[in-house]
Amino acid sequence: ENYIVNKDMQILPIGFEGELCIGGAGLSKGYINNKTLNEERFIVLPEINRLVFKTGDLCKYNKNGEIEFYERKDSQLKIRGYRVSLNEIEDAIIKYPGIEDCVVIDFENGDKKRLCAYYVGLNNITTKEIKEYLIKVLPSYMIPCNYIRLDQIPMNNNGKIDKNKLPNPLDIYLNREIVLPRNN
């Protein structure tokens, strides 16, 4: 059973975009030992009084009754055809010795989507060291192309990351020092 719902958890008709929820006999009982995530993702739809799982996918039913996917509500996105979890990348970067905090965003460079990692950590950590570490723990399509060290990750009044206050990764990307070849 599939339902597309709005932010008020009302079932939407064909042609309206909302979050995909799934339910029915094969629905999981929830995440093991994760009460918070269970309460967030497994909900009872009031209109039908049934337990469903909120997938985090923004979709709509087309006129043929097929589900058309648009994007993720959360930190997952597609880059070069691969589903990428920004949280997974952040978790990997934070595990690197000397890094205290991290946020990863995606940005457009021409017609390509790229990743930028902002991190708080020791001054002597180099981009090369972080990349070499990430190559060992993440697939290549999940490795950011930009790394920007900050004194702190900017937060808004609600305690959430203020992405508008992060330095523009395109400025960093386009202003990189060009190293010319030294031989033929």
Side-chain angles (χ1 to χ4, degrees):
E1 300 170 2
N2 299 313
Y3 307 95
I4 296 177
V5 300
N6 64 14
K7 62 181 167 60
D8 298 320
M9 301 315 295
Q10 298 168 325
I11 298 173
L12 296 172
I14 289 174
F16 287 85
E17 185 179 322
E19 183 173 2
L20 176 65
C21 294
I22 57 173
L27 185 64
S28 166
K29 291 183 179 181
Y31 294 99
I32 297 173
N33 300 325
N34 197 333
K35 183 179 178 185
T36 304
L37 199 52
N38 284 332
E39 290 172 354
E40 178 186 319
R41 293 299 185 116
F42 288 88
I43 58 137
V44 174
L45 274 182
E47 285 182 53
I48 58 171
N49 199 29
R50 288 200 180 159
L51 185 69
V52 295
F53 174 72
K54 294 171 56 178
T55 65
D57 292 326
L58 295 178
C59 305
K60 77 174 183 179
Y61 286 112
N62 65 20
K63 62 184 175 185
N64 298 327
E66 301 164 328
I67 296 172
E68 291 182 2
F69 171 81
Y70 285 94
E71 62 186 357
R72 293 284 301 169
K73 275 183 66 175
D74 57 20
S75 67
Q76 286 191 1
L77 52 107
K78 276 199 171 184
I79 293 186
R80 296 187 304 270
Y82 294 102
R83 185 165 305 278
V84 173
S85 168
L86 299 180
N87 291 338
E88 190 176 342
I89 300 168
E90 291 166 356
D91 290 345
I93 293 172
I94 287 174
K95 289 178 183 169
Y96 188 80
I99 293 183
E100 300 167 20
D101 200 1
C102 176
V103 62
V104 177
I105 64 160
D106 65 306
F107 68 98
E108 299 285 334
N109 182 13
D111 60 347
K112 293 183 180 178
K113 193 175 280 199
R114 299 191 182 276
L115 298 173
C116 179
Y118 299 89
Y119 67 94
V120 175
L122 300 174
N123 285 333
N124 62 349
I125 299 173
T126 66
T127 297
K128 182 180 177 190
E129 292 170 331
I130 299 171
K131 277 187 176 183
E132 287 174 355
Y133 162 73
L134 291 177
I135 287 169
K136 297 174 187 171
V137 297
L138 292 174
S140 61
Y141 58 85
M142 290 177 74
I143 297 174
C145 63
N146 290 55
Y147 299 81
I148 301 173
R149 188 189 167 286
L150 302 172
D151 292 330
Q152 66 182 29
I153 303 292
M155 304 296 243
N156 63 24
N157 292 337
N158 297 329
K160 295 184 179 181
I161 295 165
D162 190 343
K163 293 184 179 180
N164 294 326
K165 290 185 179 174
L166 292 169
N168 185 344
L170 268 181
D171 293 342
I172 307 298
Y173 188 80
L174 296 174
N175 293 322
R176 291 189 300 189
E177 180 184 346
I178 297 172
V179 178
L180 298 173
R182 293 184 181 95
N183 56 35
N184 289 340

